[in-house]
C-alpha cells in the first residue's frame, strides 16, 4: 500500500517512470487522482497550494479526460478546486480565486449545469457597509479638521503627487449625496426590489441625482494617470485590485474623480437594466415593468452610454466593448432559459444491422410498356389525367389548348366604339382601360405585323396608340365597318353617315384600300422578288435592311414591305396605287389577280 501511494504521488508530481497515466493504464480507479489532489490541497498552506495548482492548470487536458471517466462511472463531478475556493478570501486572494474559476470553466463542458446560476439567485450577503448616521458624518467640515482626524495617506495616492498631475475635480459632496450614492448598491445587490413600487421610486430618485453629478462634473483626459499606469506595466508590478468598495467619506471626492470607479458604477446600471428588462425563466409573475419604467430605463441607458464615452481614456472603445458584451449575454440568458441544452449533437447510432436490399424491377405496365401502354401514377385521378393522351407534347399543341383570341374577336368592341355613329365618349372606350391595353399589346405582338413596324408618328399615351391600331385593323379585317372608321377622323360638322354607307356599299377601285387578306396573297406571289416592287413603292434602303433583319422568311418580308407602304401612305394606300406599282415593276399577272379580287 505504501509503495502504491508513492507511485501515485510520483505520477501526480510528474516524476513517475511510467509514460501513461495510472488511471488510463487501469492500475487505479478514476477517482483516486482527485482524492489524492484533495488530500494534498487540504494539508498544504495556501502559498504552496498556489504552486501545486499551477501544475494542475498546465495539465487541464489530462484532468478533463479523467474527469469524464469519473462522471461516467460515478455520476458526480470533481469538487477539489471548489473546496479550495472556499478556503480563499475573495478580497485577499482575488487572483487565485480567478484562476480557479477559469480552471473550472475549462475543465467542465459548457453545458455543465453544476456551475450555473439557473434560478438567477443573488448574493444577498454582499452588503456594502457605509456610515448611515448623519451625526457621525465628517462631510462639510474644514480641511484642517480632516487632517486632525489622522486619516492615513498612502504613498502614491494623495501625498506624493507628480508634477503636472491634475488635481481631483472639486465636486460638492455632502452627506445627502454620500448616503444616496451608496444606498444604490443595495439595489444592485438585490435587483428584485426594483419591482416594488416604493423601492422603485427611491431608486429612481437616487439614480437621477447620482447621474446628474456624473453629467455635471466630467473628467479630463488625465495624461499623468496614463503615464503612471504605463510605468506600472513596464516595471512588472502587480496590479492592485480591491474586491470591496471603500466607503469612507474622505475618499468620496477621489472616487468620483476616478475614471475606473465611474465606469464600474455605470456598468452596474447597465447590468441591472438588462436583468429587469430580460426574460428570465425563474422570475416571479409579479416582476413586470410598466410603460413608464421601461421608458425611463431606455432614456437612462442612452445617458449611461454617453457618460461612458466621455470618460477618459478611450471612452468610445470602452462603451462599444461593453455594449457588445451585454448583447452577447442575451444569447447566454436565452440558452439558460431553454434548459441549457448541450452544444454537441450526437449522431444517432443505428445498432440494427441493415439487410441488403435488392432493387425490385417495376412492371412493364407501370412504365407504360404494357399492351395498353397505360402509366399508373399511384392515384386514380392522376392516372386518368396522365393517360388522356399518350403523347403529351402533341396534346399541348392541340387546337383545344389555344387560348389566344383572334384579332377580330378581341378588337370587335373597340372597333365598334371607334365608329362616330355610336357616339361613345373617349373616357368610356375600352382602349382607355389599362388592363385592356396591356392585353391588346400582347395580342398585337403575336398576331399583327403592325406592332413591330417602325413609324414616325408620335403618341402621347397608350390609348392614342391603340386607337390608331384599331383604325388600321378595321381597314384590314373583313366583316367589320372599316370604311366608317376610315372617314371618321375626316368628318366635318355636317353629318356624313349616309355618304359613308354608300361608299361602303359600292366602293370603287380608286378609293378601295388594300385589305390584309389581299396583302397576304400578293406577298405569297411575290416571294423573293419583293425587292423589285420596293423600288416602285419608294421604300428607302434603310427600311429594306430593317425588313431583312426582322424576318428570314421571304413571304413575311414581302408582307412587311406592303405593311410599311400602307403605314406611310395611309388613306392613299389604295388598290389602284398598288396595281400601278405592280405593273411598273413587271408583275402584270399579280396586278390582274388584285383587280379581280
Amino acid at each position: 500500500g505504501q509503495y502504491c501511494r508513492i507511485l501515485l504521488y510520483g505520477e501526480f508530481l510528474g516524476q513517475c517512470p511510467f509514460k501513461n497515466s495510472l488511471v488510463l493504464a487501469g492500475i487505479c480507479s478514476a477517482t483516486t487522482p482527485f482524492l489524492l489532489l484533495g488530500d494534498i490541497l487540504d494539508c498544504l498552506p495556501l502559498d504552496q497550494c498556489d504552486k501545486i495548482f499551477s501544475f494542475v492548470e498546465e495539465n487541464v487536458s489530462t484532468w478533463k479526460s479523467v474527469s469524464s471517466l469519473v462522471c461516467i462511472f460515478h455520476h458526480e463531478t470533481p469538487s477539489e478546486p471548489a473546496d479550495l475556493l472556499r478556503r480563499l478570501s475573495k478580497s485577499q486572494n482575488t487572483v487565485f480565486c480567478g484562476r480557479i474559476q477559469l480552471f473550472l470553466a475549462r475543465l467542465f463542458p459548457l453545458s455543465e449545469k453544476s456551475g450555473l446560476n439557473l434560478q438567477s439567485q443573488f448574493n444577498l450577503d454582499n452588503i456594502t457597509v457605509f456610515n448611515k448616521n448623519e451625526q457621525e458624518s465628517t462631510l462639510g467640515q474644514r480641511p484642517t479638521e480632516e487632517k486632525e482626524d489622522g486619516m492615513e495617506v498612502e504613498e502614491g495616492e494623495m501625498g506624493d503627487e507628480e508634477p503636472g498631475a491634475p488635481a481631483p475635480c472639486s465636486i460638492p459632496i455632502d452627506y445627502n449625496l454620500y448616503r444616496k450614492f451608496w444606498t444604490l448598491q443595495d439595489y444592485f445587490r438585490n435587483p428584485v426590489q426594483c419591482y416594488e413600487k416604493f423601492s422603485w421610486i427611491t431608486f429612481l430618485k437616487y439614480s437621477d441625482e447620482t447621474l446628474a453629478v456624473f453629467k455635471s462634473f466630467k473628467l479630463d483626459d488625465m495624461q499623468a494617470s496614463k503615464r503612471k499606469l504605463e510605468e506600472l506595466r513596464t516595471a512588472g508590478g502587480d496590479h492592485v485590485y480591491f474586491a470591496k468598495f471603500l466607503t469612507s467619506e474622505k475618499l468620496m471626492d477621489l472616487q468620483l474623480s476616478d475614471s475606473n470607479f465611474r465606469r464600474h458604477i455605470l456598468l452596474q446600471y447597465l447590468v441591472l437594466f438588462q436583468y429587469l428588462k430580460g426574460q428570465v425563466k425563474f422570475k416571479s409573475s409579479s416582476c413586470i415593468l410598466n410603460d413608464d419604467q421601461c421608458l425611463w430605463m431606455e432614456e437612462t441607458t442612452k445617458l449611461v452610454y454617453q457618460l461612458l464615452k466621455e470618460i477618459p481614456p478611450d471612452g468610445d472603445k470602452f462603451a462599444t466593448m461593453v455594449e457588445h458584451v451585454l448583447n452577447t449575454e442575451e444569447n447566454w440568458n436565452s440558452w439558460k432559459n431553454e434548459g441549457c441544452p448541450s452544444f454537441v449533437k450526437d449522431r444517432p447510432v443505428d445498432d440494427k444491422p441493415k439487410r441488403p436490399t435488392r432493387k425490385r424491377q417495376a412492371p412493364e405496365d407501370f412504365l407504360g410498356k404494357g399492351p395498353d401502354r397505360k402509366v399508373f401514377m399511384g392515384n386514380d385521378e392522376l392516372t386518368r389525367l396522365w393517360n388522356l393522351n399518350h403523347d403529351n407534347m402533341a396534346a399541348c399543341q392541340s387546337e383545344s389548348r389555344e387560348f389566344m383570341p383572334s384579332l377580330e374577336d378581341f378588337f370587335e368592341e373597340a372597333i365598334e366604339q371607334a365608329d362616330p355613329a355610336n357616339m361613345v365618349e373617349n373616357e368610356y372606350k375600352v382602349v382607355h382601360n389599362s388592363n385592356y391595353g396591356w392585353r391588346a399589346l400582347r395580342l398585337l405582338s403575336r398576331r399583327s405585323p403592325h406592332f413591330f413596324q417602325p413609324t414616325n408618328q408620335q403618341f402621347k399615351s397608350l390609348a392614342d396608340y391603340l386607337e390608331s391600331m384599331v383604325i388600321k385593323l378595321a381597314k384590314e379585317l373583313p366583316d367589320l365597318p372599316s370604311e366608317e372608321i376610315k372617314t371618321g377622323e375626316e368628318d366635318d360638322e355636317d353629318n356624313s353617315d349616309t355618304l359613308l354607307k354608300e361608299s361602303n356599299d359600292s366602293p370603287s377601285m380608286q378609293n378601295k384600300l388594300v385589305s390584309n387578306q389581299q396583302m397576304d396573297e400578293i406577298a405569297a406571289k411575290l416571294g423573293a422578288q419583293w425587292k423589285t416592287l420596293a423600288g416602285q413603292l419608294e421604300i428607302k434602303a434603310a427600311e429594306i435592311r430593317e425588313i431583312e433583319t426582322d424576318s428570314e422568311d421571304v413571304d413575311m418580308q414581302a408582307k412587311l414591305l406592303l405593311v410599311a407602304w400602307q403605314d406611310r401612305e395611309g388613306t392613299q394606300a389604295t388598290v389602284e396605287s398598288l396595281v400601278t406599282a405592280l405593273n411598273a415593276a413587271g408583275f402584270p399577272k399579280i396586278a390582274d389577280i388584285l383587280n379581280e379580287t
Side-chain angles (χ1 to χ4, degrees), residues 274-558:
Q274 187 179 46
Y275 172 79
L276 295 178
K277 295 186 297 184
Q279 299 293 332
V280 181
K281 184 177 180 180
F282 292 94
K283 267 188 181 180
S284 175
S285 58
S286 59
C287 297
I288 300 177
L289 299 174
N290 55 37
D291 296 339
D292 295 336
Q293 291 174 326
C294 294
L295 181 61
W296 180 86
M297 283 196 299
E298 290 181 3
E299 296 176 352
T300 308
T301 302
K302 296 179 182 179
L303 175 60
V304 169
Y305 276 117
Q306 182 62 32
L307 293 174
L308 285 175
K309 293 179 181 179
E310 296 174 354
I311 296 177
D314 301 328
D316 292 334
K317 294 182 179 179
F318 183 82
T320 303
M321 182 269 296
V322 168
E323 186 176 7
H324 173 72
V325 172
L326 292 179
N327 290 335
T328 308
E329 191 72 12
E330 292 292 341
N331 300 330
W332 179 261
N333 293 334
S334 301
W335 175 70
K336 290 201 300 182
N337 291 335
E338 295 172 0
C340 307
S342 176
F343 292 98
V344 180
K345 294 184 178 180
D346 298 331
R347 182 178 297 177
V349 179
D350 191 4
D351 297 333
K352 296 182 180 180
K354 294 183 178 180
R355 298 178 57 185
T357 58
R358 295 177 59 185
K359 187 175 180 180
R360 184 179 179 183
Q361 295 183 354
E364 290 185 353
D365 57 350
F366 179 81
L367 299 177
K369 299 179 181 179
D372 54 354
R373 298 182 60 85
K374 187 175 183 180
V375 179
F376 294 94
M377 301 300 296
N379 182 281
D380 294 339
E381 185 63 20
L382 288 178
T383 302
R384 183 188 68 81
L385 293 174
W386 187 269
N387 292 276
L388 288 176
N389 194 308
H390 296 291
D391 189 354
N392 290 327
M393 292 302 299
C396 293
Q397 297 174 359
S398 174
E399 295 181 357
S400 61
R401 302 288 300 174
E402 182 66 36
F403 301 110
M404 185 182 301
S406 62
L407 291 174
E408 294 87 345
D409 296 337
F410 186 82
F411 286 98
E412 182 179 2
E413 182 181 0
I415 293 174
E416 290 180 357
Q417 293 178 352
D419 186 359
N422 294 326
M423 293 185 296
V424 179
E425 298 180 4
N426 289 334
E427 60 179 339
Y428 298 109
K429 291 182 180 180
V430 292
V431 293
H432 290 272
N433 187 341
S434 59
N435 186 13
Y436 181 87
W438 177 78
R439 290 185 290 129
L441 290 179
R442 288 178 57 90
L443 182 61
L444 289 172
S445 65
R446 299 291 299 274
R447 299 283 192 183
S448 175
H450 296 290
F451 184 79
F452 297 101
Q453 185 63 33
T455 178
N456 295 327
Q457 189 175 1
Q458 300 294 330
F459 299 101
K460 295 183 179 180
S461 63
L462 176 60
D464 296 339
Y465 171 74
L466 289 179
E467 286 182 356
S468 66
M469 296 299 296
V470 166
I471 294 174
K472 291 180 181 180
L473 292 174
K475 300 172 184 177
E476 297 176 0
L477 299 177
D479 302 331
L480 289 176
S482 59
E483 293 300 324
E484 296 179 4
I485 301 174
K486 173 177 70 68
T487 57
E489 297 179 353
E490 301 174 357
D491 288 346
D492 50 11
E493 296 179 357
D494 299 332
N495 191 354
S496 58
D497 292 345
T498 307
L499 295 176
L500 289 174
K501 289 183 179 181
E502 292 177 357
S503 62
N504 193 27
D505 294 338
S506 58
S508 63
M509 191 177 70
Q510 295 180 351
N511 298 327
K512 186 175 182 181
L513 298 177
V514 181
S515 65
N516 190 27
Q517 182 180 1
Q518 290 172 332
M519 285 194 294
D520 290 338
E521 294 177 358
I522 295 173
K525 298 291 184 181
L526 287 174
Q529 300 177 353
W530 62 273
K531 292 183 181 180
T532 306
L533 181 61
Q536 299 298 325
L537 296 178
E538 298 179 357
I539 302 297
K540 298 180 181 180
E543 294 181 279
I544 295 176
R545 287 194 296 270
E546 285 187 12
I547 292 173
E548 291 177 338
T549 305
D550 291 342
S551 177
E552 296 179 356
D553 186 10
V554 293
D555 293 344
M556 180 56 68
Q557 291 175 352

